[in-house]
Amino acid sequence: MADSWWQRLRGQARVLIALGILLLVILWIASGMFGREADEAPRAAEPQPMAVAVTALEAEPVERLLVLQGRVEPDLRVLVRAETAGQVAEWEVARGARVAADAPLARLRMDDREARRRQAIARLRGAESEYEAAQRLHDQGHVSRTQLEAREAEREAARAELEAIELDIRNTRIIAPVDGVVNQRLAERGDFVARGDPVAEIVDNDPLLAVVHVPQHQIGRVESGQAARIRFLDGRRAEGEVRFVSRVAESGTQTFRVEVEVPNADEALPSGISAGVEIPTETVAAHKLSPAWMGLDDSGRVGVKTVDDDDRVVFHAVEVIRAATDGVWVTGLPERARVITIGHGFVTPGETVRPRPMEASTGAAGPEPVGEALR
């Protein structure tokens, strides 16, 4: 009896063990299916916005410059010409000497001028004697009024002849018409010069004139009295002021001549060389950024992409007003802007993004990848 009861208990135990194992297998299989569903659920979710690197910029007052290349010229350049013909007898100044107005430069040979002067003096004396005699006879009624006037005309002609020869003698002394420096001697001792031939060139380098030619679409930005900065080829700089703005464009180039006056009291700055001229025309609010942050929109406009307060991409057309060694200054952005510095080529205006601040020290964004969708 006891053995049969024990056998029935063992049989029931086997059944319970088998049922337990079966239950464990079912639970294990079910847990695997639920786990896969849980793993697969995120893959079916919507992709997150793209991450981009941004840099916060604030507008600063910047001078809008008109940058031109020109030539430095002396304020005054005079060709001294001979006022009478003759051979150059001697020079009284050296080339490069500074002279004052009315200072003698050179002397022409007198030739027969002194003899003609004495002849004119004698003729004048004779004419004066004849006139005085005619005057006495006219008073006595022996000479008509017409004869007296003829003697008077002869006297005035002789006087004019003397004055002419004396002027010709004075003109043999070539003098400086203005203050300046004798830049060239165009006729040396022994050379024959005719009346009107150039003999010397005098220049005055104080002040200097920086001459530039402004394109017709920018001439409206320039006016007399504006300050200007001049950069010489040797690195020296000077301050100047716009003195003259032409009102007629030059034929062929359609540009306008502009002269900038540059003080040069010590004459340390040379003339006749090329120089760069910067004319500040106005002060505007601008942002400084890297040219790599700029791009083109579908219309071909140059601009910058920013992120607004709702993290949406906005395209702003910009204008470059100044260039620097470490970037460019542009206008067209809001006063405060978050500019997309990395990833701007992968996003479009109106798209929502995940902005990440650019680290100033390393030039990289935060810990998340930029330019890829975050899973």
Side-chain angles (χ1 to χ4, degrees), residues 170-183:
R170 288 196 299 270
N171 287 339
T172 59
R173 304 284 290 184
I174 299 174
I175 63 173
V178 294
D179 296 344
V181 175
V182 179
N183 189 53

Side-chain angles (χ1 to χ4, degrees), residues 2 9 52 64 72 83 89 99 104 120 144 153 232 238 250 271 300 302 315 322-323 330:
L9 183 60
V52 293
R64 184 191 290 269
V72 179
E83 297 183 75
V99 294
S144 67
F232 295 88
E250 296 188 3
S271 61
V302 178
F315 180 87
R322 283 183 63 180
V330 301

Side-chain angles (χ1 to χ4, degrees), residues 41-310:
R43 298 179 186 176
E46 290 294 329
Q48 295 184 6
M50 184 174 293
V52 293
V54 299
T55 296
L57 299 179
E58 188 167 350
E60 300 179 33
V62 178
E63 289 180 332
R64 184 191 290 269
L65 296 179
L66 184 60
V67 182
L68 303 161
Q69 289 295 319
R71 180 180 175 86
V72 179
E73 299 179 358
D75 176 55
L76 190 64
R77 175 180 289 169
V78 177
L79 278 179
V80 183
R81 299 180 181 273
E83 297 183 75
T84 187
Q87 189 180 52
V88 178
E90 63 176 349
W91 274 93
E92 300 190 25
V93 294
R95 186 173 55 183
R98 169 161 286 281
V99 294
D102 298 328
L105 300 177
R107 182 175 59 83
L108 303 181
R109 288 173 58 92
M110 287 288 290
D111 296 330
D112 65 342
R113 289 180 176 86
E114 183 59 34
R116 288 191 288 119
R117 187 180 75 87
R118 291 196 300 268
Q119 184 180 20
I121 292 174
R123 185 173 300 172
L124 176 59
R125 288 174 179 172
E128 287 178 342
S129 297
E130 290 181 2
Y131 173 76
E132 291 173 358
Q135 180 71 54
R136 288 192 299 269
L137 293 174
H138 177 270
D139 294 341
Q140 296 172 4
H142 301 298
V143 174
S144 67
R145 181 68 182 175
T146 302
Q147 291 174 320
L148 177 63
E149 291 176 351
R151 301 289 83 77
E152 183 180 10
E154 291 175 358
R155 184 191 65 175
E156 293 303 318
R159 184 176 294 166
E161 182 181 357
L162 178 59
E163 291 176 354
I165 187 59
E166 288 178 342
L167 176 61
D168 191 49
I169 291 174
R170 288 196 299 270
N171 287 339
T172 59
R173 304 284 290 184
I174 299 174
I175 63 173
V178 294
D179 296 344
V181 175
V182 179
N183 189 53
Q184 294 186 71
R185 296 198 319 197
L186 302 175
E188 293 296 337
R189 181 178 178 181
D191 290 340
F192 182 87
V193 293
R195 183 175 183 179
D197 285 350
V199 177
E201 181 189 52
I202 296 179
V203 298
D204 185 6
N205 279 351
D206 182 29
L208 291 175
L209 294 182
V211 179
V212 294
H213 291 82
V214 180
Q216 56 185 343
H217 66 279
Q218 295 181 324
I219 191 60
R221 298 168 55 188
V222 184
E223 60 184 16
S224 297
Q226 284 179 312
R229 295 187 288 268
I230 296 86
R231 305 185 317 277
F232 295 88
L233 293 180
D234 58 3
R236 285 182 289 180
R237 292 178 174 267
E239 302 290 330
E241 180 179 299
V242 176
R243 187 178 76 173
F244 170 76
V245 180
S246 176
R247 295 305 173 189
V248 179
E250 296 188 3
S251 59
T253 62
Q254 299 301 312
T255 58
F256 293 80
R257 179 184 173 96
V258 173
E259 297 178 358
V260 178
E261 183 177 309
V262 184
N264 190 29
D266 57 359
E267 298 190 358
L269 300 174
S271 61
I273 64 174
S274 300
V277 177
E278 296 178 350
I279 304 176
T281 57
E282 61 178 328
T283 300
V284 296
H287 298 75
K288 188 177 183 181
L289 47 82
S290 169
W293 302 348
M294 302 166 62
L296 301 176
D297 66 355
D298 295 337
S299 302
R301 297 180 303 169
V302 178
V304 175
K305 291 177 181 176
T306 64
V307 178
D308 62 13
D309 295 337
D310 297 326

